[in-house]
């Protein structure tokens, strides 16, 4: 046997600190990341802009995704840009109204007027669909919106 | 006879496994992207949109058509011209004939077509915002020798009321069909 009293010992690498290292990584990721809202069913390439503001208070933000469906859903929904609310593709723009009302009902009354709608729209979408969305948002009184965009570096 | 007894200890080797499991869970469920964008406050909904009851010179009109072409005050222009135009418009104070008489009265109006591309619209909106941000920044530097970002809330508010953002969005045209 290797471990005989007085015999030679093979030094073992101690793994006692491994959990500590892993925990450190774990905490880093827990702090640095945000929970993904929902699975994206549409492809979005963000337009570029410079005058950007950070979206604060993630819990008060509702997301509307607009873009062409991903390859997986192409057969079902076609290739034209569609609106995604929560985990489903909306059949009609009017669904936004119930979507916003539901989002609003889930938040405490005090914070309801601080709610923001983030429009995550693919850059090649035509404005027609956006106009309809904005109209619905205005009707339901969700006036604070945020056009999601990526930082543009360099000149136009 | 001597019995050697080990001290009782909890085996901690599985701790790493548990931590790894949690780590993988967080890695998978999270996204690192920081949400940024252009903040806009829409006007409340009215049943019959009234036409702007303003003197034509207070309004800087920007049109975008379905081919992503741009008109500023009826003249063809490029996106990079917008910022400068907005700044002249806001800071005009009645100097030039067809621009605003005061920053408080100045309005920038965008009209797009339903066939305009979103990226083009965002580019135009971004430039208008850039114009507003520039005049605000200049005023902050002139009044307080500080960047607008670093002003107190009250100072910011004063500059914001001096240069209120009035961007009007006209009903889109529909020539795409």
């Amino acid at each position: 046997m290797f471990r005989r009293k007085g015999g030679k010992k093979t030094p073992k690498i101690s793994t006692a600190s491994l959990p500590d290292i892993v925990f450190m990584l774990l905490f880093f990721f827990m702090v640095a990341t945000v929970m993904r809202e929902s699975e994206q069913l549409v492809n979005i390439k963000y337009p570029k802009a410079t005058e950007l503001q950070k979206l604060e208070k993630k819990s008060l933000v509702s997301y509307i995704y607009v873009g062409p469906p991903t390859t997986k859903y192409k057969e079902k929904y076609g290739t034209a840009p569609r609106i995604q609310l929560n985990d489903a593709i909306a059949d009609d723009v009017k669904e936004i109204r119930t979507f916003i009302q539901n989002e609003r009902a889930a938040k405490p009354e005090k914070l309801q007027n601080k709610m923001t709608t983030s429009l995550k729209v693919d850059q090649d979408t035509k404005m027609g669909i956006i106009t309809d969305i904005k109209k619905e948002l205005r009707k339901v009184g969700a006036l604070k919106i945020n056009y999601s965009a990526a930082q543009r570096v360099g000149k136009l | 006879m001597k019995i050697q007894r080990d001290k009782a200890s909890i085996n901690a080797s599985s701790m790493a496994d548990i931590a790894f499991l949690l780590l993988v869970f967080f890695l998978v469920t999270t996204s690192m992207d920081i949400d940024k964008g252009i903040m806009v406050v829409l006007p409340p909904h009215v049943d019959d949109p009234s036409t702007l009851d303003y003197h034509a010179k207070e309004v800087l009109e920007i049109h975008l058509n379905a081919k992503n072409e741009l008109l500023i005050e009826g003249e063809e222009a490029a996106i990079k011209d917008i910022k400068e135009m907005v700044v002249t418009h806001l800071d005009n104070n009645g100097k030039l004939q067809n621009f605003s008489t005061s920053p408080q009265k100045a309005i920038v109006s965008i009209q797009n077509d339903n066939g305009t591309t979103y990226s083009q619209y965002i580019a135009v909106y971004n430039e208008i915002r850039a114009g507003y941000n520039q005049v605000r920044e200049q005023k902050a530097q002139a009044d307080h020798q500080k960047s607008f970002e670093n002003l107190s809330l009250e100072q910011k508010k004063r500059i914001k009321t001096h240069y209120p953002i009035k961007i009007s969005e006209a009903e889109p045209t529909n020539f795409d069909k």
Side-chain angles (χ1 to χ4, degrees), chain A residues 37-150:
Chain A
E37 279 301 306
S38 48
E39 191 202 349
Q40 274 198 17
L41 307 178
V42 291
N43 271 329
I44 295 169
K45 197 162 175 268
Y46 295 111
K48 294 205 165 46
T50 52
E51 312 301 307
L52 300 177
Q53 276 165 287
K54 226 168 141 183
L55 257 182
E56 315 254 341
K57 301 243 170 59
K58 287 264 159 66
S59 59
L60 292 173
V61 180
S62 341
Y63 296 92
I64 296 176
Y65 304 89
V66 183
T70 50
T71 1
K72 210 167 130 197
Y73 293 93
K74 233 168 219 167
E75 257 173 54
K76 200 171 168 195
Y77 298 111
T79 48
R82 297 291 296 265
I83 304 166
Q84 181 196 343
L85 306 168
N86 289 330
D87 280 327
I89 299 266
D91 297 314
D92 194 79
V93 204
K94 292 208 170 67
E95 281 178 33
I96 288 177
R97 228 180 284 185
T98 32
F99 167 72
I100 294 289
Q101 279 158 355
N102 288 343
E103 288 275 312
R104 212 177 267 167
K107 311 277 145 67
E109 213 167 315
K110 246 200 227 160
L111 300 171
Q112 281 180 4
N113 57 345
K114 296 225 167 97
M115 284 181 65
T116 313
T117 313
S118 172
L119 289 180
K120 291 176 173 280
V121 183
D122 183 67
Q123 58 176 2
D124 295 323
T125 314
K126 300 278 180 217
M127 279 307 284
I129 196 165
I130 315 289
T131 310
D132 295 340
I133 292 171
K134 279 203 295 199
K135 223 177 261 170
E136 285 303 314
L137 288 175
R138 283 174 64 188
K139 274 185 196 156
V140 81
L143 301 177
K144 269 175 79 177
I145 59 169
N146 180 70
Y147 296 116
S148 240

